[in-house]
Amino acid sequence: MQRREFIILLGSAAAWPIAARAQSQKMLRTGMVSVLPRNNPLMHTFVKRLRELGYDEGKNLAVEYVEISSPVEYPEGMKELVQRHVDIIVAQGPEVTLKSAMAATNSLPIVMVAIDYDPFARGYVTSLAHPTGNVTGIFFQQIELSAKRLEIAKELIPRLQSAAVFWDSGSADQFQSLKNAGQNLGISLFAVEMRDPPNYEAAWERVPAEFRGMLILPTSGIFFRDRQKIADFTVKHRIPAMFVFREWVDAGGLVSYGVSITGLFGRAAEFVDKLAKGATPADLPIEQPTKFELILNLKTAKEIGLTIPEATLLRADEVIE
């Protein structure tokens, strides 16, 4: 994995009145709520980084994991975490995770990994450099990257004038940004809103022929959970598809542009460690990643009959042969 770089917004921090209970306890209890099964690469990276920092599950670390079947269950899931007496909550993914965590507690520290929303613009934090309240963490400026992904799609298929978009409740802000970017780039988009559980075959049948030249897929917990299914679906139908994270490309998808999502979860573990050792949310400025990677799957390109322009191959950070 390439080295991750972060912008750290510096500034003095006001004191947080309630430090993480783990500071005075032998066992650190942290937890998260997710639509993903516990055995997933993000959770694996999170626990691995904590292990590197000196924590051992079952000895001085307990990671409470509440798996839910639908995003509507996030509020109850966060309440359950609080009832399990965790010391620190990790609120990763869409806006509903942070909203639910803040509704469940105003005292426990919350480490956010904001994927589909701007926590500052939405009022969850009043400052990135000087967090107030009980929230700190990482803000991935996902929305702004939507236009860049469309630009890369245009590079891959120079004559591209239209494309399809699958989106859901967890990727609504990304979809809105895609619409705006499409207008600016002269790319017409046909959008299909996915319900849970999503039916990708049925959704594709709804897409008119003139919009089938490219599929743009934003990210959400549901889409990430289904990444292998989605990658297989795009190859089966010979669909050039643009994704957000490399995990789709590793699964067989064509191309992705974004940050290392596993890297973000490793960094979230470092936030948890600092809070457990006595730091307060106000001590830890909210970070924004600045390293983005373009990943191409050349094997998939050949399989679906797409020739990747030489210029795009040269600027790719990694090409999967």
Side-chain angles (χ1 to χ4, degrees):
M1 182 179 298
Q2 298 180 9
R3 184 174 64 88
R4 303 179 299 277
E5 302 171 12
F6 290 83
I7 293 177
I8 302 179
L9 304 174
L10 301 174
S12 60
W16 169 245
I18 303 177
R21 293 197 304 271
Q23 182 185 8
S24 59
Q25 292 182 350
K26 184 176 181 180
M27 178 75 73
L28 166 64
R29 303 183 70 86
T30 186
M32 62 182 73
V33 181
S34 179
V35 297
L36 302 177
R38 184 184 179 104
N39 184 21
N40 70 75
L42 310 183
M43 182 67 172
H44 173 76
T45 301
F46 178 75
V47 174
K48 179 176 180 290
R49 184 65 185 124
L50 284 174
R51 190 181 305 120
E52 292 169 349
L53 291 167
Y55 299 91
D56 189 353
E57 265 194 292
K59 294 183 179 179
N60 63 345
L61 172 68
V63 181
E64 299 290 343
Y65 196 89
V66 179
E67 183 180 344
I68 58 176
S69 60
S70 171
V72 299
E73 299 174 16
Y74 274 112
E76 290 303 315
M78 287 297 178
K79 290 178 184 178
E80 183 176 337
L81 273 189
V82 174
Q83 291 168 358
R84 292 187 188 184
H85 303 293
V86 298
D87 303 302
I88 302 165
I89 291 175
V90 177
Q92 80 292 348
E95 180 181 4
V96 65
T97 58
L98 181 58
K99 184 177 182 180
S100 300
M102 293 180 71
T105 179
N106 60 7
S107 58
L108 294 177
I110 298 171
V111 176
M112 68 173 176
V113 183
I115 299 292
D116 186 54
Y117 64 101
D118 183 336
F120 178 74
R122 294 290 173 87
Y124 294 107
V125 295
T126 57
S127 171
L128 300 181
H130 309 284
T132 56
N134 59 331
V135 177
T136 187
I138 304 159
F139 164 36
F140 169 31
Q141 56 271 43
Q142 174 77 287
I143 312 305
E144 292 87 340
L145 292 181
S146 296
K148 187 64 177 178
R149 294 189 186 104
L150 276 184
E151 290 176 9
I152 295 172
K154 188 83 169 176
E155 288 181 18
L156 286 171
I157 307 175
R159 296 183 179 180
L160 186 70
Q161 295 181 332
S162 59
V165 179
F166 290 172
W167 67 284
D168 63 3
S169 61
S171 56
D173 283 6
Q174 294 168 69
F175 169 55
Q176 184 60 51
S177 179
L178 279 169
K179 286 201 300 183
N180 296 337
Q183 292 173 357
N184 294 333
L185 293 171
I187 300 176
S188 300
L189 300 176
F190 183 88
V192 181
E193 182 179 2
M194 309 298 289
R195 305 295 183 178
D196 190 25
N199 185 327
Y200 302 104
E201 294 285 350
W204 191 245
E205 290 176 3
R206 293 174 54 189
V207 178
E210 63 267 29
F211 290 90
R212 293 189 175 193
M214 187 87 181
L215 174 65
I216 311 294
L217 192 85
T219 188
S220 72
I222 298 297
F223 290 158
F224 192 86
R225 180 196 66 191
D226 291 350
R227 62 193 179 281
Q228 187 64 63
K229 181 188 298 184
I230 295 170
D232 291 344
F233 155 78
T234 59
V235 173
K236 171 186 173 183
H237 292 280
R238 298 169 63 88
I239 306 167
M242 167 64 73
F243 300 102
V244 173
F245 300 123
R246 71 165 298 147
E247 280 70 18
W248 274 278
V249 183
D250 289 334
L254 177 64
V255 59
S256 68
Y257 181 74
V259 301
S260 166
I261 182 65
T262 53
L264 296 185
F265 275 74
R267 186 61 181 144
E270 295 170 10
F271 272 82
V272 169
D273 173 57
K274 291 177 181 179
L275 290 166
K277 290 176 177 174
T280 71
D283 296 328
L284 306 175
I286 294 167
E287 296 181 356
Q288 293 181 277
T290 59
K291 176 66 176 178
F292 307 105
E293 53 187 18
L294 174 63
I295 311 295
L296 288 167
N297 192 320
L298 196 57
K299 178 182 176 182
T300 296
K302 293 176 181 177
E303 193 166 346
I304 67 175
L306 180 68
T307 299
I308 304 295
E310 187 68 20
T312 307
L313 283 173
L314 291 173
R315 65 184 290 238
D317 295 282
E318 184 175 340
V319 175
I320 298 174
E321 302 282 354

